[in-house]
PDB file of all heavy atoms in Angstrom:
ATOM      1  N   ASN A1145      -3.129 -16.501   4.952  1.00  0.00           N
ATOM      2  CA  ASN A1145      -2.352 -17.529   5.496  1.00  0.00           C
ATOM      3  C   ASN A1145      -1.382 -16.993   6.641  1.00  0.00           C
ATOM      4  O   ASN A1145      -0.194 -16.899   6.425  1.00  0.00           O
ATOM      5  CB  ASN A1145      -1.473 -18.217   4.308  1.00  0.00           C
ATOM      6  CG  ASN A1145      -0.722 -19.491   4.798  1.00  0.00           C
ATOM      7  OD1 ASN A1145      -1.073 -20.023   5.823  1.00  0.00           O
ATOM      8  ND2 ASN A1145       0.221 -19.813   4.072  1.00  0.00           N
ATOM      9  N   VAL A1146      -2.005 -16.657   7.749  1.00  0.00           N
ATOM     10  CA  VAL A1146      -1.174 -16.177   8.859  1.00  0.00           C
ATOM     11  C   VAL A1146      -0.579 -17.343   9.589  1.00  0.00           C
ATOM     12  O   VAL A1146      -1.383 -18.238  10.049  1.00  0.00           O
ATOM     13  CB  VAL A1146      -2.052 -15.236   9.832  1.00  0.00           C
ATOM     14  CG1 VAL A1146      -1.236 -14.841  11.059  1.00  0.00           C
ATOM     15  CG2 VAL A1146      -2.691 -14.055   9.100  1.00  0.00           C
ATOM     16  N   VAL A1147       0.732 -17.352   9.836  1.00  0.00           N
ATOM     17  CA  VAL A1147       1.364 -18.587  10.347  1.00  0.00           C
ATOM     18  C   VAL A1147       1.969 -18.302  11.709  1.00  0.00           C
ATOM     19  O   VAL A1147       2.466 -19.230  12.317  1.00  0.00           O
ATOM     20  CB  VAL A1147       2.510 -19.093   9.376  1.00  0.00           C
ATOM     21  CG1 VAL A1147       1.911 -19.564   8.100  1.00  0.00           C
ATOM     22  CG2 VAL A1147       3.541 -17.984   9.141  1.00  0.00           C
ATOM     23  N   GLY A1148       1.814 -17.118  12.252  1.00  0.00           N
ATOM     24  CA  GLY A1148       2.398 -16.903  13.524  1.00  0.00           C
ATOM     25  C   GLY A1148       2.545 -15.410  13.812  1.00  0.00           C
ATOM     26  O   GLY A1148       2.063 -14.510  12.949  1.00  0.00           O
ATOM     27  N   GLY A1149       3.189 -15.003  14.879  1.00  0.00           N
ATOM     28  CA  GLY A1149       3.397 -13.630  15.156  1.00  0.00           C
ATOM     29  C   GLY A1149       4.631 -13.370  16.122  1.00  0.00           C
ATOM     30  O   GLY A1149       5.251 -14.424  16.640  1.00  0.00           O
ATOM     31  N   VAL A1150       4.896 -12.140  16.267  1.00  0.00           N
ATOM     32  CA  VAL A1150       6.103 -11.726  17.083  1.00  0.00           C
ATOM     33  C   VAL A1150       5.719 -10.731  18.129  1.00  0.00           C
ATOM     34  O   VAL A1150       5.144  -9.726  17.763  1.00  0.00           O
ATOM     35  CB  VAL A1150       7.280 -11.195  16.181  1.00  0.00           C
ATOM     36  CG1 VAL A1150       8.446 -10.668  17.026  1.00  0.00           C
ATOM     37  CG2 VAL A1150       7.709 -12.122  15.151  1.00  0.00           C
ATOM     38  N   THR A1151       6.062 -11.072  19.429  1.00  0.00           N
ATOM     39  CA  THR A1151       5.969 -10.178  20.460  1.00  0.00           C
ATOM     40  C   THR A1151       7.241 -10.409  21.277  1.00  0.00           C
ATOM     41  O   THR A1151       7.177 -11.577  22.009  1.00  0.00           O
ATOM     42  CB  THR A1151       4.668 -10.325  21.305  1.00  0.00           C
ATOM     43  OG1 THR A1151       3.625 -10.017  20.484  1.00  0.00           O
ATOM     44  CG2 THR A1151       4.689  -9.238  22.497  1.00  0.00           C
ATOM     45  N   PRO A1152       8.276  -9.666  21.445  1.00  0.00           N
ATOM     46  CA  PRO A1152       9.381  -9.830  22.324  1.00  0.00           C
ATOM     47  C   PRO A1152       9.017 -10.189  23.660  1.00  0.00           C
ATOM     48  O   PRO A1152       8.234  -9.429  24.320  1.00  0.00           O
ATOM     49  CB  PRO A1152      10.151  -8.540  22.078  1.00  0.00           C
ATOM     50  CG  PRO A1152       9.770  -7.921  20.850  1.00  0.00           C
ATOM     51  CD  PRO A1152       8.343  -8.287  20.657  1.00  0.00           C
ATOM     52  N   GLY A1153       9.578 -11.255  24.258  1.00  0.00           N
ATOM     53  CA  GLY A1153       9.329 -11.602  25.574  1.00  0.00           C
ATOM     54  C   GLY A1153       8.244 -12.578  25.759  1.00  0.00           C
ATOM     55  O   GLY A1153       7.996 -13.202  26.773  1.00  0.00           O
ATOM     56  N   LYS A1154       7.500 -12.982  24.677  1.00  0.00           N
ATOM     57  CA  LYS A1154       6.412 -13.833  24.833  1.00  0.00           C
ATOM     58  C   LYS A1154       6.527 -15.044  23.846  1.00  0.00           C
ATOM     59  O   LYS A1154       5.581 -15.786  23.603  1.00  0.00           O
ATOM     60  CB  LYS A1154       5.016 -13.093  24.393  1.00  0.00           C
ATOM     61  CG  LYS A1154       4.631 -12.004  25.409  1.00  0.00           C
ATOM     62  CD  LYS A1154       3.171 -11.508  25.217  1.00  0.00           C
ATOM     63  CE  LYS A1154       2.888 -10.551  26.356  1.00  0.00           C
ATOM     64  NZ  LYS A1154       1.449 -10.008  26.299  1.00  0.00           N
ATOM     65  N   GLY A1155       7.765 -15.188  23.453  1.00  0.00           N
ATOM     66  CA  GLY A1155       8.112 -16.349  22.561  1.00  0.00           C
ATOM     67  C   GLY A1155       7.770 -17.699  23.210  1.00  0.00           C
ATOM     68  O   GLY A1155       8.004 -17.739  24.438  1.00  0.00           O
ATOM     69  N   GLY A1156       7.260 -18.611  22.541  1.00  0.00           N
ATOM     70  CA  GLY A1156       6.911 -19.883  23.043  1.00  0.00           C
ATOM     71  C   GLY A1156       5.397 -20.019  23.493  1.00  0.00           C
ATOM     72  O   GLY A1156       4.921 -21.113  23.680  1.00  0.00           O
ATOM     73  N   GLN A1157       4.699 -18.916  23.565  1.00  0.00           N
ATOM     74  CA  GLN A1157       3.280 -18.870  23.812  1.00  0.00           C
ATOM     75  C   GLN A1157       2.544 -19.062  22.538  1.00  0.00           C
ATOM     76  O   GLN A1157       3.039 -19.184  21.538  1.00  0.00           O
ATOM     77  CB  GLN A1157       2.875 -17.492  24.470  1.00  0.00           C
ATOM     78  CG  GLN A1157       3.578 -17.238  25.793  1.00  0.00           C
ATOM     79  CD  GLN A1157       3.095 -15.901  26.377  1.00  0.00           C
ATOM     80  OE1 GLN A1157       2.069 -15.356  26.043  1.00  0.00           O
ATOM     81  NE2 GLN A1157       3.865 -15.413  27.398  1.00  0.00           N
ATOM     82  N   THR A1158       1.223 -19.373  22.791  1.00  0.00           N
ATOM     83  CA  THR A1158       0.258 -19.481  21.643  1.00  0.00           C
ATOM     84  C   THR A1158      -0.785 -18.439  21.791  1.00  0.00           C
ATOM     85  O   THR A1158      -1.337 -18.073  22.787  1.00  0.00           O
ATOM     86  CB  THR A1158      -0.425 -20.900  21.654  1.00  0.00           C
ATOM     87  OG1 THR A1158       0.525 -21.776  21.564  1.00  0.00           O
ATOM     88  CG2 THR A1158      -1.373 -21.059  20.541  1.00  0.00           C
ATOM     89  N   HIS A1159      -1.122 -17.808  20.582  1.00  0.00           N
ATOM     90  CA  HIS A1159      -2.091 -16.722  20.489  1.00  0.00           C
ATOM     91  C   HIS A1159      -2.868 -16.880  19.303  1.00  0.00           C
ATOM     92  O   HIS A1159      -2.347 -17.105  18.237  1.00  0.00           O
ATOM     93  CB  HIS A1159      -1.356 -15.356  20.564  1.00  0.00           C
ATOM     94  CG  HIS A1159      -2.266 -14.148  20.612  1.00  0.00           C
ATOM     95  ND1 HIS A1159      -3.136 -13.911  21.669  1.00  0.00           N
ATOM     96  CD2 HIS A1159      -2.434 -13.236  19.710  1.00  0.00           C
ATOM     97  CE1 HIS A1159      -3.828 -12.771  21.467  1.00  0.00           C
ATOM     98  NE2 HIS A1159      -3.419 -12.324  20.227  1.00  0.00           N
ATOM     99  N   LEU A1160      -4.195 -16.810  19.420  1.00  0.00           N
ATOM    100  CA  LEU A1160      -5.086 -17.133  18.258  1.00  0.00           C
ATOM    101  C   LEU A1160      -4.779 -18.472  17.664  1.00  0.00           C
ATOM    102  O   LEU A1160      -4.885 -18.550  16.342  1.00  0.00           O
ATOM    103  CB  LEU A1160      -5.014 -15.968  17.300  1.00  0.00           C
ATOM    104  CG  LEU A1160      -5.291 -14.558  17.676  1.00  0.00           C
ATOM    105  CD1 LEU A1160      -5.142 -13.528  16.581  1.00  0.00           C
ATOM    106  CD2 LEU A1160      -6.719 -14.428  18.310  1.00  0.00           C
ATOM    107  N   ASN A1161      -4.446 -19.446  18.435  1.00  0.00           N
ATOM    108  CA  ASN A1161      -4.087 -20.723  18.032  1.00  0.00           C
ATOM    109  C   ASN A1161      -2.891 -20.772  17.066  1.00  0.00           C
ATOM    110  O   ASN A1161      -2.654 -21.737  16.396  1.00  0.00           O
ATOM    111  CB  ASN A1161      -5.279 -21.412  17.317  1.00  0.00           C
ATOM    112  CG  ASN A1161      -6.404 -21.704  18.298  1.00  0.00           C
ATOM    113  OD1 ASN A1161      -6.193 -22.055  19.368  1.00  0.00           O
ATOM    114  ND2 ASN A1161      -7.662 -21.330  17.682  1.00  0.00           N
ATOM    115  N   LEU A1162      -1.947 -19.826  17.174  1.00  0.00           N
ATOM    116  CA  LEU A1162      -0.772 -19.678  16.408  1.00  0.00           C
ATOM    117  C   LEU A1162       0.429 -19.344  17.354  1.00  0.00           C
ATOM    118  O   LEU A1162       0.286 -18.839  18.439  1.00  0.00           O
ATOM    119  CB  LEU A1162      -0.886 -18.591  15.369  1.00  0.00           C
ATOM    120  CG  LEU A1162      -1.869 -18.842  14.196  1.00  0.00           C
ATOM    121  CD1 LEU A1162      -2.176 -17.473  13.470  1.00  0.00           C
ATOM    122  CD2 LEU A1162      -1.495 -19.874  13.337  1.00  0.00           C
ATOM    123  N   PRO A1163       1.691 -19.869  16.907  1.00  0.00           N
ATOM    124  CA  PRO A1163       2.858 -19.603  17.723  1.00  0.00           C
ATOM    125  C   PRO A1163       3.277 -18.205  17.774  1.00  0.00           C
ATOM    126  O   PRO A1163       3.146 -17.439  16.880  1.00  0.00           O
ATOM    127  CB  PRO A1163       3.883 -20.503  17.011  1.00  0.00           C
ATOM    128  CG  PRO A1163       3.419 -20.612  15.600  1.00  0.00           C
ATOM    129  CD  PRO A1163       1.937 -20.612  15.640  1.00  0.00           C
ATOM    130  N   VAL A1164       3.741 -17.834  18.861  1.00  0.00           N
ATOM    131  CA  VAL A1164       4.337 -16.558  19.221  1.00  0.00           C
ATOM    132  C   VAL A1164       5.867 -16.669  19.325  1.00  0.00           C
ATOM    133  O   VAL A1164       6.353 -17.577  19.973  1.00  0.00           O
ATOM    134  CB  VAL A1164       3.831 -15.820  20.476  1.00  0.00           C
ATOM    135  CG1 VAL A1164       4.419 -14.461  20.590  1.00  0.00           C
ATOM    136  CG2 VAL A1164       2.274 -15.763  20.461  1.00  0.00           C
ATOM    137  N   PHE A1165       6.600 -15.725  18.601  1.00  0.00           N
ATOM    138  CA  PHE A1165       8.080 -15.774  18.607  1.00  0.00           C
ATOM    139  C   PHE A1165       8.598 -14.530  19.185  1.00  0.00           C
ATOM    140  O   PHE A1165       7.983 -13.411  19.199  1.00  0.00           O
ATOM    141  CB  PHE A1165       8.572 -15.959  17.215  1.00  0.00           C
ATOM    142  CG  PHE A1165       8.138 -17.234  16.598  1.00  0.00           C
ATOM    143  CD1 PHE A1165       6.964 -17.281  15.861  1.00  0.00           C
ATOM    144  CD2 PHE A1165       8.778 -18.414  16.676  1.00  0.00           C
ATOM    145  CE1 PHE A1165       6.460 -18.424  15.207  1.00  0.00           C
ATOM    146  CE2 PHE A1165       8.334 -19.553  16.048  1.00  0.00           C
ATOM    147  CZ  PHE A1165       7.203 -19.609  15.357  1.00  0.00           C
ATOM    148  N   ASN A1166       9.870 -14.578  19.784  1.00  0.00           N
ATOM    149  CA  ASN A1166      10.503 -13.372  20.350  1.00  0.00           C
ATOM    150  C   ASN A1166      11.071 -12.524  19.197  1.00  0.00           C
ATOM    151  O   ASN A1166      11.123 -11.275  19.459  1.00  0.00           O
ATOM    152  CB  ASN A1166      11.613 -13.757  21.264  1.00  0.00           C
ATOM    153  CG  ASN A1166      11.172 -14.312  22.596  1.00  0.00           C
ATOM    154  OD1 ASN A1166      10.129 -13.849  23.133  1.00  0.00           O
ATOM    155  ND2 ASN A1166      11.846 -15.403  23.135  1.00  0.00           N
ATOM    156  N   THR A1167      11.568 -13.050  18.139  1.00  0.00           N
ATOM    157  CA  THR A1167      12.145 -12.315  17.124  1.00  0.00           C
ATOM    158  C   THR A1167      11.538 -12.680  15.684  1.00  0.00           C
ATOM    159  O   THR A1167      11.060 -13.769  15.568  1.00  0.00           O
ATOM    160  CB  THR A1167      13.657 -12.465  16.970  1.00  0.00           C
ATOM    161  OG1 THR A1167      13.929 -13.796  16.650  1.00  0.00           O
ATOM    162  CG2 THR A1167      14.374 -12.266  18.302  1.00  0.00           C
ATOM    163  N   VAL A1168      11.716 -11.755  14.720  1.00  0.00           N
ATOM    164  CA  VAL A1168      11.296 -12.065  13.358  1.00  0.00           C
ATOM    165  C   VAL A1168      12.117 -13.227  12.783  1.00  0.00           C
ATOM    166  O   VAL A1168      11.591 -14.126  12.065  1.00  0.00           O
ATOM    167  CB  VAL A1168      11.285 -10.790  12.422  1.00  0.00           C
ATOM    168  CG1 VAL A1168      10.863 -11.190  11.055  1.00  0.00           C
ATOM    169  CG2 VAL A1168      10.491  -9.733  13.024  1.00  0.00           C
TER     170      VAL A1168
END
Side-chain angles (χ1 to χ4, degrees):
N1145 188 18
V1146 179
V1147 293
V1150 177
T1151 300
K1154 295 194 175 181
Q1157 296 182 18
T1158 300
H1159 184 62
L1160 303 179
N1161 296 317
L1162 292 168
V1164 182
F1165 301 91
N1166 285 321
T1167 67
V1168 180

